[in-house]
């Protein structure tokens, strides 16, 4: 059997982690033959709760889990780590603004970036889930300069899954029949869910989503708004931020990073911009990517019409603003 993979989960006593840890532990992400060491990080006041989570993980008696470490010290958690799910951050509650979250959370990613920089493997693959996810990932990368920037990503897969599910439901097909939906930009209400390049399998025939839906007005308005506002709608209904679906999306993201995308299909991930599609270099922007040999590359050459251009630029503008505020917060 292979050596155990060292997998960090931060915010390990929280609600997303409670779903995430079970899926990771039973092999949904790194495969059914990959043994795991789980490195669980949370803050000191949460150690008792975290111990309860550890007890439950033990009691699942999953053969792949070779060791579990629960700690409040980022340097212990990140030591020689191969992969990290960065979930530990405050979620937005009803009535809170995004800006409140940025102030509260960005420093966490500065400190944990510094710790990863010192002790993690340089090949560590990091997904940031904690909000504002794109900007937190950018900050974490800035404070971990010895780790390649391509190893830092943020999660927009939940938005992709939400968009895919909306289209599948509209057309009465299975979720798996819808491919290549794109999320451009920020994991926020300015994101641009784009189906112009997406396909759907209808009765064994592949057609474009716009052709299948035959309702441009829906695709340009209600569809986009529903996906952009879905996180807020879940908070309103549950009085808590999405957790089961967020954990599933984090698993999908990391699984595809390790195992690659299929054929010509692509998935959306927040990655560091190299200027592709006219987006400012250095922003953590969600793009369509293909993945081979654990390396993502931005899908190039997609036609961008005026409608898409405006939406892509609007979400980039929000990310620029967020990054400037985050840098000011970190340097204060
Ligand atoms: N990117 C996405 O699609 C997406 C989706 C859903 C939620 N989120 C975000 O994920 C984050 C976590 O959500 P949740 O519902 O699990 O929240 P939660 O409050 O249930 O859990 C968060 C956990 O993080 C811990 N934590 C706080 N500071 C920490 C630190 N410095 N180090 C380690 N752990 C720390 C808390 O103690 C808590 O246990 C939130 O920021 C939320 O907005 C992102
Ligand atoms: O805070 C929000 O509005 C969204 C929370 C979370 O990121 C989600 O998308 O469900």
């Amino acid at each position: 059997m292979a050596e155990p993979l060292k997998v960090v989960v931060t915010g390990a006593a929280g609600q997303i982690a409670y779903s995430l840890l079970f899926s990771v532990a039973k092999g949904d992400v790194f495969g059914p033959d990959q043994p795991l060491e789980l490195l669980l990080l949370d803050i000191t006041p949460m150690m008792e709760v975290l111990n309860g989570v550890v007890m439950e993980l033990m009691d699942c008696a999953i053969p792949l889990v070779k060791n579990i470490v629960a700690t409040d010290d980022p340097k212990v958690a990140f030591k020689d780590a191969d992969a990290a799910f960065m979930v530990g951050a405050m979620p937005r509650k009803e009535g809170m603004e995004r800006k409140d979250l940025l102030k509260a959370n960005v420093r966490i990613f500065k400190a944990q970036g510094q710790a990863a920089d010192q002790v993690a493997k340089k090949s560590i693959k990091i997904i940031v889930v904690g909000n504002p996810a794109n900007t937190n990932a950018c900050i974490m990368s800035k404070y971990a300069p010895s780790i390649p920037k391509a190893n830092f990503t943020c999660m927009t897969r939940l938005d992709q899954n939400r968009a895919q599910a909306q289209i599948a439901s509209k057309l009465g097909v299975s979720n798996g029949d819808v491919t290549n939906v794109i999320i451009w930009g920020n994991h926020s209400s300015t994101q641009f869910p784009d189906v112009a390049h997406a396909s759907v399998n209808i009765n064994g025939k592949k057609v474009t989503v716009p052709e299948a839906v035959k309702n441009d007005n829906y695709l340009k308005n209600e569809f986009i708004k529903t996906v952009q506002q879905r996180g807020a709608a879940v908070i309103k209904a549950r009085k808590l931020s999405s957790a089961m679906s967020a954990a599933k999306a984090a698993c999908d993201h990391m699984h595809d990073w390790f195992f690659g995308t299929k054929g010509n299909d692509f998935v959306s991930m927040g990655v560091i911009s190299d200027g592709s599609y006219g987006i400012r270099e250095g922003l953590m922007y969600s793009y369509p990517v293909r993945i081979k040999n654990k390396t993502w590359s931005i899908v190039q050459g997609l036609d961008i019409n005026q409608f898409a251009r405006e939406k892509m630029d609007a979400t980039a503008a929000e990310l620029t603003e967020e990054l400037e505020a985050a840098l000011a917060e970190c340097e204060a």
Side-chain angles (χ1 to χ4, degrees), residues 44-105:
T44 313
M46 293 302 283
M47 284 301 107
E48 193 181 343
V49 176
L50 186 56
N51 279 334
V53 175
V54 172
M55 284 185 234
E56 284 211 64
L57 267 174
M58 284 177 68
D59 298 347
C60 290
I62 296 170
L64 288 178
V65 178
K66 301 299 173 195
N67 191 27
I68 305 172
V69 175
T71 180
D72 56 3
D73 180 349
K75 282 207 199 148
V76 172
F78 283 105
K79 179 81 182 125
D80 297 328
D82 296 290
F85 292 88
M86 304 297 301
V87 183
M90 187 199 279
R92 199 172 63 86
K93 308 223 166 64
E94 245 187 310
M96 264 178 86
E97 295 295 328
R98 235 184 124 68
K99 283 199 178 83
D100 304 329
L101 215 56
L102 188 140
K103 234 178 159 41
N105 287 341

Side-chain angles (χ1 to χ4, degrees), residues 136-208:
N136 288 338
C138 220
I139 292 296
M140 190 175 179
S141 161
K142 176 179 161 60
Y143 285 96
S146 69
I147 299 173
K149 289 201 177 306
N151 298 14
F152 294 86
T153 63
C154 81
M155 183 161 100
T156 53
R157 186 61 170 264
L158 176 54
D159 308 295
Q160 178 192 313
N161 289 348
R162 287 167 171 166
Q164 202 173 320
Q166 288 299 315
I167 297 295
S169 158
K170 181 89 180 162
L171 293 172
V173 299
S174 152
N175 290 317
D177 288 329
V178 180
T179 50
N180 293 354
V181 171
I182 301 173
I183 303 298
W184 299 98
N186 200 1
H187 170 66
S188 77
S189 58
T190 68
Q191 66 176 269
F192 172 39
D194 178 10
V195 293
H197 313 276
S199 305
V200 55
N201 196 324
I202 296 185
N203 301 325
K205 201 173 157 232
K206 206 169 175 176
V207 286
T208 71

Side-chain angles (χ1 to χ4, degrees), residues 1-316:
M1 236 193 185
E3 279 292 295
L5 202 71
K6 290 179 185 280
V7 180
V8 180
V9 176
T10 74
Q15 53 148 8
I16 294 177
Y18 197 70
S19 291
L20 175 66
L21 283 166
F22 180 56
S23 293
V24 171
K26 68 187 175 60
D28 292 354
V29 179
F30 302 104
D33 301 318
Q34 175 59 61
L36 301 167
E37 177 167 350
L38 299 175
L39 303 153
L40 311 184
L41 180 71
D42 212 294
I43 50 174
T44 313
M46 293 302 283
M47 284 301 107
E48 193 181 343
V49 176
L50 186 56
N51 279 334
V53 175
V54 172
M55 284 185 234
E56 284 211 64
L57 267 174
M58 284 177 68
D59 298 347
C60 290
I62 296 170
L64 288 178
V65 178
K66 301 299 173 195
N67 191 27
I68 305 172
V69 175
T71 180
D72 56 3
D73 180 349
K75 282 207 199 148
V76 172
F78 283 105
K79 179 81 182 125
D80 297 328
D82 296 290
F85 292 88
M86 304 297 301
V87 183
M90 187 199 279
R92 199 172 63 86
K93 308 223 166 64
E94 245 187 310
M96 264 178 86
E97 295 295 328
R98 235 184 124 68
K99 283 199 178 83
D100 304 329
L101 215 56
L102 188 140
K103 234 178 159 41
N105 287 341
V106 82
R107 282 169 182 271
I108 298 176
F109 290 83
K110 173 181 176 182
Q112 294 179 0
Q114 287 165 332
D117 193 51
Q118 288 174 38
V119 299
K121 286 195 183 135
K122 300 305 169 200
S123 57
I124 184 174
K125 299 198 165 16
I126 296 171
I127 172 179
V128 173
V129 175
N131 280 320
N134 302 56
T135 299
N136 288 338
C138 220
I139 292 296
M140 190 175 179
S141 161
K142 176 179 161 60
Y143 285 96
S146 69
I147 299 173
K149 289 201 177 306
N151 298 14
F152 294 86
T153 63
C154 81
M155 183 161 100
T156 53
R157 186 61 170 264
L158 176 54
D159 308 295
Q160 178 192 313
N161 289 348
R162 287 167 171 166
Q164 202 173 320
Q166 288 299 315
I167 297 295
S169 158
K170 181 89 180 162
L171 293 172
V173 299
S174 152
N175 290 317
D177 288 329
V178 180
T179 50
N180 293 354
V181 171
I182 301 173
I183 303 298
W184 299 98
N186 200 1
H187 170 66
S188 77
S189 58
T190 68
Q191 66 176 269
F192 172 39
D194 178 10
V195 293
H197 313 276
S199 305
V200 55
N201 196 324
I202 296 185
N203 301 325
K205 201 173 157 232
K206 206 169 175 176
V207 286
T208 71
V209 166
E211 268 171 345
V213 171
K214 297 187 189 73
N215 186 343
D216 238 36
N217 185 38
Y218 163 77
L219 289 177
K220 284 189 166 158
N221 296 289
E222 188 186 331
F223 162 72
I224 292 180
K225 202 157 182 198
T226 301
V227 179
Q228 288 175 333
Q229 299 290 338
R230 191 65 159 189
V234 171
I235 293 176
K236 190 156 189 284
R238 242 170 60 86
K239 318 289 177 242
L240 280 172
S241 173
S242 63
M244 175 177 38
S245 55
K248 157 67 167 56
C251 291
D252 290 345
H253 175 125
M254 193 65 97
H255 173 275
D256 289 352
W257 201 351
F258 271 71
F259 290 97
T261 45
K262 286 188 216 127
N264 233 15
D265 287 357
F266 45 75
V267 293
S268 291
M269 275 168 51
V271 298
I272 202 84
S273 170
D274 60 356
S276 288
Y277 294 97
I279 300 304
R280 178 181 144 181
E281 211 179 317
L283 286 184
M284 187 68 58
Y285 192 90
S286 180
Y287 281 106
V289 300
R290 291 197 182 92
I291 306 167
K292 297 256 172 311
N293 301 322
K294 300 192 176 114
T295 304
W296 55 261
S297 53
I298 297 171
V299 175
Q300 299 294 339
L302 298 172
D303 281 340
I304 304 299
N305 61 23
Q306 190 55 30
F307 177 79
R309 185 73 262 163
E310 281 169 20
K311 299 243 172 274
M312 286 162 71
D313 289 344
T315 188

